[in-house]
Amino acid sequence: MPLDSYVTLGRSGLRVSPFTLGTMTFGEDLGWGASPEESKNMLAAYLDRGGNSIDTANIYTNGHSEQIIGDYFAGRPEARDRVVLGTKFFWNQYPGDPNGGGPGRKAIVRQLENSLRRLRTDHVDIYWLHNFDPVTPVEETMRALDDLVSDGKIRYVGFSDMPAWATTEAAVVARFRGWTPVVALQVEYSLLERTAEGELFPMAAALGMGVTAWGPLRSGFLSGKYGSDRSGQVDTTRTALVGAPRPEDYRVIDVLNEVAADMGVSAAAVAIAWVQGRAEIASTLIGARRMDQLEVNLTALDLLLPDDQRARLDAASTPSLNFPAANNAYMSRMAQFAGATVDGLPSVLSPLLAAPRR
Ligand SMILES: NC(=O)c1ccc[n+]([C@@H]2O[C@H](COP(=O)([O-])OP(=O)(O)OC[C@H]3O[C@@H](n4cnc5c(N)ncnc54)[C@H](OP(=O)(O)O)[C@@H]3O)[C@@H](O)[C@H]2O)c1
């Protein structure tokens, strides 16, 4: 599957590559990222392969990630027009200023203006609400985003790391007010974090949202560097979002390493191919701190996991989902369609119901 086999994102006409280039690692400001030069080389390598989807955020390396991307595209207007450039708002970059971040109207407008300046562009293609704010009324956020679409400053709206109930409320409000819809979700999803399967994936399918997955390597835990035979000290300064692997994570990591060894490919490629091979995922966000990591991660494009290896990974990583996911899955198999045939699937109760009553 090449990077130019584009898919539509949710219920929209926006086409994106199966892998989106993550740029949280662009810039050395936090002491461990890629230099501007290496970042631009990674951008060029991704675009050369036909990639068209780039993800950043105002908070990444304190705005430097956006700046590096802006500098790269500044002299390449045609290349800029071709890409789907997404950035995010939420994190307050102005200590002491209560309206410096968040999803209120004043804060959104200011954050977007600053992102556009750093990105050296007049619009972003996907503007992502980065995180959940329980205080701001959802109508205010959705109306402010709709106005920015009307102003020509953003094209599409996405939600990241939001509870399913809050996303649903926003989507329904927008639908009945005729405002710009939420067409995409950004969720953490990997062999070590599958709980989005409980609420977020079914919501996305029902409401026409394309799912993009961040953290496919769980910050590197699924890259082959880790295993129960080499579970030494983890440098958690680089894995602040996820800490260190838990003892139970090593059961999954070990199976991943075995599958990669059996197939003669890298564990990173297997982990990414597993994510992208899930029917729910439109585009996987690949992150890399160095060019050699990006090259390895891109090999996942051509990796088709055989059914038996995928089944091993599925079984090792099966999540425990919050109520009522498991209960509802059981009920829909056992009771809802009792005695009926729905979409060609006979109910498992049919034979029981067909049995003569005594
Ligand atoms: N919406 C959100 O809240 C959110 C959150 C996080 C990320 N994101 C987006 O998603 C993108 C990807 O997320 P992520 O950075 O968490 O992805 P990830 O793939 O789980 O982790 C990337 C890290 O793993 C290591 N790595 C990557 N490829 C490797 C390889 N082939 N071999 C060995 N190590 C490798 C690197 O760290 P080391 O070399 O330091 O080990 C790299 O920084 C980000 O760039 C960002 O755009 C979004």
Side-chain angles (χ1 to χ4, degrees), residues 44-92:
Y46 172 80
L47 298 173
D48 280 353
R49 299 269 300 258
N52 83 332
S53 178
I54 296 169
D55 179 70
T56 184
N58 61 351
I59 192 67
Y60 291 169
T61 48
N62 293 325
H64 197 187
S65 169
E66 288 185 330
Q67 226 162 17
I68 292 170
I69 296 167
D71 290 348
Y72 179 87
F73 284 115
R76 300 173 170 90
E78 282 175 21
R80 160 64 190 98
D81 283 347
R82 200 181 170 285
V83 294
V84 175
L85 182 53
T87 192
K88 313 186 194 78
F89 65 95
F90 186 83
W91 291 93
N92 195 333

Side-chain angles (χ1 to χ4, degrees), residues 24 55 60 160-161 186 217-219 225 289 293 297:
M24 197 169 68
D55 179 70
Y60 291 169
S160 151
D161 305 346
Q186 213 173 101
L217 300 180
R218 187 86 171 167
S219 295
K225 287 189 285 215
R289 199 170 47 81
Q293 293 178 344
N297 297 351

Side-chain angles (χ1 to χ4, degrees), residues 5-354:
S5 56
Y6 308 109
V7 294
T8 46
L9 193 55
R11 194 183 293 144
S12 84
L14 186 67
R15 275 107 170 140
V16 295
S17 290
F19 289 177
T20 291
L21 183 65
T23 67
M24 197 169 68
T25 46
F26 281 18
E28 295 157 308
D29 311 63
L30 304 178
W32 48 264
S35 68
E37 194 188 355
E38 181 139 28
S39 304
K40 287 176 192 167
N41 288 340
M42 288 195 269
L43 257 176
Y46 172 80
L47 298 173
D48 280 353
R49 299 269 300 258
N52 83 332
S53 178
I54 296 169
D55 179 70
T56 184
N58 61 351
I59 192 67
Y60 291 169
T61 48
N62 293 325
H64 197 187
S65 169
E66 288 185 330
Q67 226 162 17
I68 292 170
I69 296 167
D71 290 348
Y72 179 87
F73 284 115
R76 300 173 170 90
E78 282 175 21
R80 160 64 190 98
D81 283 347
R82 200 181 170 285
V83 294
V84 175
L85 182 53
T87 192
K88 313 186 194 78
F89 65 95
F90 186 83
W91 291 93
N92 195 333
Q93 290 166 295
Y94 301 93
D97 177 355
N99 294 306
R105 174 179 281 272
K106 177 176 167 65
I108 292 177
V109 171
R110 178 174 175 198
Q111 289 172 96
L112 179 63
E113 293 300 342
N114 284 329
S115 286
L116 293 177
R117 181 174 44 75
R118 285 187 292 263
L119 289 165
R120 299 171 73 175
T121 184
D122 62 1
H123 71 280
V124 295
D125 298 292
I126 309 179
Y127 204 34
W128 296 91
L129 169 58
H130 206 156
N131 293 88
F132 179 49
D133 169 23
V135 175
T136 307
V138 67
E139 291 84 356
E140 177 176 336
T141 303
M142 295 311 289
R143 175 62 200 266
L145 291 169
D146 188 59
D147 285 347
L148 292 171
V149 171
S150 302
D151 289 349
K153 293 185 175 174
I154 65 178
R155 302 285 187 256
Y156 293 88
V157 169
F159 271 26
S160 151
D161 305 346
M162 291 281 289
W165 67 264
T167 307
T168 303
E169 185 186 13
V172 172
V173 166
R175 180 187 298 173
F176 287 109
R177 301 275 179 110
W179 294 339
T180 302
V182 179
V183 294
L185 294 186
Q186 213 173 101
V187 302
E188 183 181 6
Y189 190 64
S190 72
L191 283 161
L192 288 175
E193 178 46 271
R194 290 181 53 183
T195 54
E197 291 170 26
E199 292 281 343
L200 292 162
F201 285 2
M203 173 196 71
L207 299 180
M209 297 165 186
V211 182
T212 67
W214 64 264
L217 300 180
R218 187 86 171 167
S219 295
F221 300 171
L222 298 165
S223 67
K225 287 189 285 215
Y226 297 83
S228 54
D229 54 344
R230 46 204 133 110
S231 59
Q233 195 70 24
V234 175
D235 176 3
T236 49
T237 54
R238 295 182 192 178
T239 58
L241 286 174
V242 291
R246 299 161 300 173
E248 61 269 33
D249 292 342
Y250 284 106
R251 285 200 294 271
V252 179
I253 294 170
D254 286 349
V255 172
L256 169 71
N257 292 340
E258 284 163 26
V259 168
D262 285 357
M263 294 181 66
V265 296
S266 77
V270 172
I272 292 171
W274 180 87
V275 170
Q276 187 57 27
R278 292 283 309 203
E280 300 92 338
I281 302 297
S283 185
T284 302
L285 289 142
I286 50 167
R289 199 170 47 81
R290 297 190 313 256
M291 180 63 101
D292 60 294
Q293 293 178 344
L294 178 66
E295 293 293 349
V296 169
N297 297 351
L298 287 175
T299 64
L301 283 167
D302 303 317
L303 190 64
L304 193 62
L305 289 179
D307 289 346
D308 58 332
Q309 301 288 21
R310 177 168 284 277
R312 276 174 82 186
L313 294 164
D314 286 348
S317 62
T318 303
S320 222
L321 299 176
N322 283 351
F323 179 85
N327 184 61
N328 284 350
Y330 175 78
M331 287 301 171
S332 69
R333 282 198 310 274
M334 294 302 289
Q336 187 185 354
F337 304 125
T341 299
V342 177
D343 295 339
L345 297 174
S347 161
V348 291
L349 282 188
S350 300
L352 299 177
L353 295 170

